Amino acid sequence: MVTSLRGMPDIYPEETQQRDQLTKIFTNTAFLHGFHRIETPILESLDVFVRSVGETSDIVSKEMYTLKDKGERDLCLRPENTAGIIRSILNNKKSHIENQKYFYYGPMFRYERPQKGRLRQFSQLGIEYINAKSPTADVESIILANDFIKNIGITDYTLELNTLGDEETRKNHKKALVEYLSKHQQNLSKESQDRLQKNPLRILDSKDEKDIEICQSAPLLVDFLSKSAQDFFDRVVNLLNELNIYFNLNPYLVRGLDYYSHTIFEFKSGDLGSQSTFLAGGRYDKLSQLLGGRVLPSVGWAAGLERLMLISNLKKEDQITTLVIPGDESLVSPSLSLVDKIRSRGITSEVSPSTSFKSGLKYANKNQVNFAVLLGAKEQETNTVTWKNLLTGSQHTNTLEEFIKEIKK
RNA sequence: GCGGGUGUAGCUCAGUUGGUUAGAGCGCCAGUUUGUGGCACUGGAGGCCGUGGGUUCAAACCCCAUCACUCGCCCCA
């Protein structure tokens, strides 16, 4: 038998309903904050991510779905959306516009071993606040995240916050860090010894016990913050405090994508196993330059839809549904007209697949229809409908208008 | 990429030290007289025991491989 690919599940209505509800709430929340939806291609040039996310990052070095097209161009399925959106802003000559607010949702791809809350094709939803240099933008992004999280019924979570500073900050810190870690090189884990060359900052985020111990007394980036980077972060922290948004300062927090600078944050939940982060983001002032554009200070975040599904608490949306059951073949056509009339009132209506009240009612019951409409010869003659409330079992015969009035109660 | 666990009916799972026609519950289909669902009762359909190889007189059961799912590691949303 032909099967689906690993980590690429088929999604049926039991889940699509909840997914749609989540994206609907996300859309509404983002609209309330003045954000508008952007859509960029799923397939991009490999370069978009190699240059932005970083060649040494795990995402690019081992998790990309790459392919060649018929013109031998190197392409890949997008592992995230931020780089694609900035690429788009540059291509479409929109870099001069300040304070652009976008949101998106859609499929992303990473070639990883699937596990709880992690798939190869997964959905992310996120926002980008582009060409926004004020620290207020960082705070607004976090507020939007917070609102969204609350709106989907997640109550048990923490927000971790850190700053990566500006380039000057990181240059100085990196120097001190490499100096310090080199002294302990032989005690570092194998991975971290590798990282020492490629991306020493990541060692601070290691889960290896020895690494953690060594990092305890490693020079912290916070101590190297330039005046302007410090001021910027102070403004973010103060605003969050003034707004009573609770967060933990975590000086060890780093991100897996190379393009971040200044503010970074992660929302975490304890209910996701090892994949505790369900929403994460930060500021990425230099990303557009990596893609060959002008400076475009921006901030944004992304959340994993599947992870949100595991921890969200959505109320079921109830809506009225009706099923019209023709009593015999000759009543199929009148039934089709009847459902059309009911639908035109904005009420979901189906025609029973069979022309017997018995099997029609069974179908209605199975598909959780609220009201069955029995259209028999009698009703047809008297221009009425017999309708049954399937929850209570009560049954009445009325005109169509009376029926609709009744069920809308 | 690395490690652990699990693959038997649509679903959840039994299946004895290897031994005849592989079971249950739920679900599905049909029936239990009137133009009527849910509940109950009765009956029925449905399995290459994940796939391929091997050991054996004999394999769902033992061995090897492979695939899938799952939980961790790494990493990430």
Side-chain angles (χ1 to χ4, degrees):
Chain A
M1 219 197 319
V2 237
T3 55
S4 72
L5 269 29
R6 164 180 281 187
M8 303 204 175
D10 304 311
I11 306 166
Y12 279 84
E14 303 92 73
E15 284 176 55
T16 55
Q17 280 170 14
Q18 210 187 331
R19 291 165 71 98
D20 289 348
Q21 212 182 330
L22 268 176
T23 46
K24 203 167 122 192
I25 293 170
F26 175 59
T27 300
N28 290 340
T29 310
F31 274 145
L32 284 175
H33 285 250
F35 284 70
H36 295 281
R37 197 166 78 84
I38 186 172
E39 215 173 297
T40 64
I42 289 169
L43 209 52
E44 292 272 6
S45 291
L46 181 60
D47 234 21
V48 170
F49 302 101
V50 172
R51 289 170 61 167
S52 60
V53 174
E55 208 156 0
T56 58
S57 71
D58 279 44
I59 289 181
V60 169
S61 62
K62 58 180 211 191
E63 294 170 6
M64 289 250 269
Y65 269 96
T66 56
L67 58 128
K68 273 191 195 291
D69 71 4
K70 291 181 181 174
E72 292 293 303
R73 282 171 283 257
D74 287 307
L75 312 179
C76 73
L77 293 170
R78 62 183 187 192
E80 57 106 51
N81 209 164
T82 302
I85 288 172
I86 294 302
R87 190 233 77 227
S88 166
I89 297 293
L90 298 176
N91 290 169
N92 291 285
K93 315 273 184 241
K94 289 179 184 290
S95 351
H96 62 287
I97 306 168
E98 293 198 328
N99 301 308
Q100 303 176 59
K101 298 175 171 182
Y102 299 104
F103 73 89
Y104 63 85
Y105 49 82
M108 309 293 159
F109 303 82
R110 288 184 200 174
Y111 196 90
E112 297 183 90
R113 197 72 187 264
Q115 54 185 277
K116 187 178 183 183
R118 177 199 287 173
L119 296 162
R120 288 187 169 183
Q121 175 172 339
F122 61 105
S123 290
Q124 275 190 346
L125 34 86
I127 64 147
E128 311 295 351
Y129 199 160
I130 293 165
N131 206 356
K133 48 182 174 294
S134 162
T136 314
D138 304 44
V139 173
E140 284 191 279
S141 299
I142 291 172
I143 293 171
L144 172 47
N146 232 351
D147 284 357
F148 170 55
I149 289 165
K150 282 186 184 137
N151 289 345
I152 58 174
I154 298 174
T155 49
D156 190 17
Y157 66 91
T158 56
L159 164 59
E160 304 216 336
L161 191 70
N162 192 23
T163 178
L164 299 177
D166 51 22
E167 272 188 67
E168 187 196 332
T169 307
R170 272 181 304 161
K171 211 176 116 194
N172 294 335
H173 173 247
K174 193 174 171 181
K175 203 178 142 200
L177 185 66
V178 172
E179 209 170 283
Y180 169 81
L181 290 172
S182 299
K183 279 188 279 184
H184 297 83
Q185 186 165 10
Q186 64 279 15
N187 293 321
L188 285 169
S189 68
K190 221 179 125 201
E191 292 81 19
S192 289
Q193 291 189 23
D194 271 6
R195 290 185 186 123
L196 196 52
Q197 307 301 320
K198 295 179 193 161
N199 200 344
L201 197 59
R202 300 297 311 283
I203 298 175
L204 296 176
D205 199 34
S206 172
K207 271 101 192 167
D208 184 276
E209 268 186 45
K210 270 187 179 171
D211 289 357
I212 291 173
E213 206 186 308
I214 292 168
C215 289
Q216 293 288 312
S217 39
L220 288 176
L221 190 132
V222 193
D223 300 323
F224 290 81
L225 286 176
S226 66
K227 174 81 169 64
S228 64
Q230 182 70 61
D231 289 349
F232 190 94
F233 193 54
D234 285 348
R235 182 71 181 136
V236 172
V237 167
N238 290 338
L239 278 171
L240 290 173
N241 279 329
E242 282 162 28
L243 291 160
N244 292 318
I245 293 171
Y246 185 76
F247 60 90
N248 296 325
L249 279 181
N250 178 356
Y252 295 99
L253 184 67
V254 295
R255 314 273 11 259
L257 288 64
D258 287 356
Y259 54 61
Y260 285 106
S261 56
H262 290 286
T263 321
I264 54 167
F265 51 89
E266 290 192 4
F267 286 79
K268 296 185 173 196
S269 162
D271 300 329
L272 286 169
S274 55
Q275 272 72 271
S276 58
T277 301
F278 61 90
L279 186 153
R283 184 162 270 282
Y284 47 91
D285 288 356
K286 59 170 181 175
L287 172 51
S288 71
Q289 290 167 86
L290 295 171
L291 293 174
R294 55 184 262 183
V295 186
L296 213 50
S298 306
V299 55
W301 52 255
L305 180 61
E306 288 77 10
R307 289 185 189 178
L308 294 175
M309 293 265 292
L310 292 170
I311 54 174
S312 66
N313 222 318
L314 299 173
K315 285 183 216 117
K316 226 182 177 174
E317 288 177 320
D318 37 37
Q319 56 156 348
I320 310 166
T321 54
T322 63
L323 177 79
V324 174
I325 310 169
D328 61 60
E329 276 303 317
S330 74
L331 295 166
V332 168
S333 170
S335 295
L336 285 166
S337 315
L338 183 52
V339 290
D340 182 56
K341 285 182 191 135
I342 299 172
R343 286 169 191 157
S344 70
R345 264 74 159 192
I347 295 165
T348 298
S349 192
E350 296 174 74
V351 174
S352 165
S354 72
T355 56
S356 101
F357 291 146
K358 193 186 179 78
S359 55
L361 281 162
K362 273 192 174 181
Y363 175 87
N365 194 57
K366 239 188 335 199
N367 292 283
Q368 280 136 43
V369 169
N370 305 126
F371 299 96
V373 177
L374 310 182
L375 188 63
K378 276 192 246 167
E379 288 79 7
Q380 178 70 354
E381 273 168 35
T382 55
N383 202 23
T384 55
V385 295
T386 293
W387 59 279
K388 184 166 188 167
N389 180 327
L390 291 184
L391 196 68
T392 64
S394 70
Q395 187 169 315
H396 309 271
T397 300
N398 294 112
T399 64
L400 178 63
E401 292 308 323
E402 287 167 334
F403 163 62
I404 287 178
K405 218 173 112 186
E406 279 300 313
I407 64 172
K408 274 195 167 175
K409 278 181 186 170

